[in-house]
Amino acid sequence: MATAASGLSEPQVLARTKDRLFADREDAYVVADTQFAQRRWLDETPIEASVQATLAPFNHVQIGTGYPDLVGVQTLSTDLLSVDRLGDRPPLIAVEAKGYTGNGGVDAERGVVQAHDRLNEANVAFLTAPRSGISTAARTMARELNVGVLGVESDGAVSVLERPRVVGHGSMDAASAIRFQASAQGVADQNFGLNHPKNYIAVPLAVHHDDDARDLLASHVVGAVDGALAGAEFLNLIDAGQGSLTLTPLGREVVRFALRTVGNVEAALRRFEDWQRSRRRFIDIAPQWGQLVRRVVSDYPATELLVDGLYACHRDGYESPSLVEFVAYLHALHPEFTVELFLRGDETVRQRVLTGDGELRRSELTDGSVYHSPTVFQLKAIFYHAGIVTDRGAEPSNLDPETDEWALCDPLV
């Protein structure tokens, strides 16, 4: 049997498995556990930089009673599953990896038990391990427990040894952070490219108008038309699928508001010309439209989490918390979401900020460069214009996390 020195280690197995399971698709998002972001593995052997680059980003996500080595959302190919009907939503996948240890063995059966535990919340669970270290007993146990088994060859090829069935959705409290990132409303680098919400609520009006929507936005609202369309889609105002723009129910409500308050969409779009390049808070210069923005932003999944967190923070004595204080406070309540919303996803940042157990190194939070711009700049600016928070956002390069204020305009206490 291979030894730890000559066989595949757990980080190597996991990196090859991620390449096999999670292709570069728009509906995919996956994180590896924070233990793989550390410089050395459990037996003190170094984790190669190439392996860490493959496994990034990192988060410590609880599924079932433990923390899977890999958790993500992805539409799986039919060769990986024992059924080919997956429903409309990509499944939540949990992966437990095992590699050769110092005694030359692979604890595959323990990995099967751990993977089965993840089915309390995940839709699909896999054990992945060096193929030469997977026993017949482990495969038999996996079949009985509905756990998929992947065998990793020494050359990096991954074979499907046991195919699992997709099971129904569980509560997924912690895993909802991963689902959120995999959805169109996830906090990705390309989402809120513009930091004024007027640019987004104008989009449904332009789509409803008989003339070309892009031309209307460029002439009446903002030159960065692609950014306006992308943000409107993230806010669930339009659907840009199948090559055309259509209104969602929320987008139709924006049009009804314009018709009720202004009379027609043409006149409503002309109103937006008056607000171009204005730095004043939107809810102050256009109170009715500002309230509409607040209504739209309140439907964004991250808003409830952030507002409830700020309310709890204020209630516990942090009346005007800094970004550092708020992130530390929110992480204690919702660690997975906090990491996904606030920390940049590259391995160097999460390696700096997170311990192997997923705890924060608070001293690293004082560096503005570790933060995710779409949250601390664009999304916060949108909240500011909607009258939700007291202070507008700042680019990470100009951000002082110890003085950047995160406080509700109306804390209700």
Side-chain angles (χ1 to χ4, degrees), residues 62-63 89 92 120-123 168-177 179 337:
Q62 184 170 3
I63 307 290
R89 194 162 63 157
L92 182 75
N120 289 325
E121 297 185 35
N123 304 117
H169 302 294
S171 61
M172 288 175 281
D173 290 338
S176 59
R179 284 203 179 278
F337 252 117

Side-chain angles (χ1 to χ4, degrees), residues 231-351:
E233 186 174 12
F234 285 119
L235 288 172
N236 196 31
L237 295 171
I238 60 168
D239 185 345
Q242 300 181 342
S244 62
L245 302 177
T246 57
L247 296 179
T248 64
L250 186 58
R252 290 195 290 271
E253 281 302 306
V254 171
V255 174
R256 293 187 183 103
F257 170 86
L259 295 176
R260 186 169 61 251
T261 57
V262 182
N264 60 77
V265 294
E266 178 76 33
L269 283 168
R270 286 198 297 270
R271 293 281 300 274
F272 283 78
E273 295 178 12
D274 299 332
W275 301 323
Q276 288 182 344
R277 290 175 292 279
S278 172
R279 287 187 54 81
R280 293 182 59 197
R281 178 178 278 191
F282 192 51
I283 201 167
D284 294 335
I285 62 174
Q288 286 184 300
W289 288 89
Q291 288 295 338
L292 174 66
V293 167
R294 187 171 185 133
R295 157 76 175 87
V296 169
V297 172
S298 292
D299 270 15
Y300 185 65
T303 301
E304 181 179 352
L305 175 88
L306 291 172
V307 170
D308 284 352
L310 287 170
Y311 171 73
C313 201
H314 184 98
R315 183 192 58 206
D316 287 349
Y318 296 91
E319 295 185 1
S320 299
S322 69
L323 177 58
V324 173
E325 291 171 329
F326 180 50
V327 168
Y329 185 94
L330 192 65
H331 187 266
L333 299 177
H334 306 286
E336 297 85 4
F337 252 117
T338 304
V339 169
E340 295 301 327
L341 283 169
F342 283 96
L343 299 183
R344 286 171 47 207
D346 64 83
E347 69 271 22
T348 56
V349 166
R350 296 198 180 179
Q351 186 180 70

Side-chain angles (χ1 to χ4, degrees), residues 187-189 340-345 370-377 396:
V187 182
D189 288 337
E340 295 301 327
L341 283 169
F342 283 96
L343 299 183
R344 286 171 47 207
V370 306
Y371 290 96
H372 202 39
S373 176
T375 300
V376 300
F377 182 36

Side-chain angles (χ1 to χ4, degrees), residues 124-135:
V124 183
F126 287 98
L127 160 73
T128 183
R131 182 165 184 170
S132 57
I134 300 173
S135 65

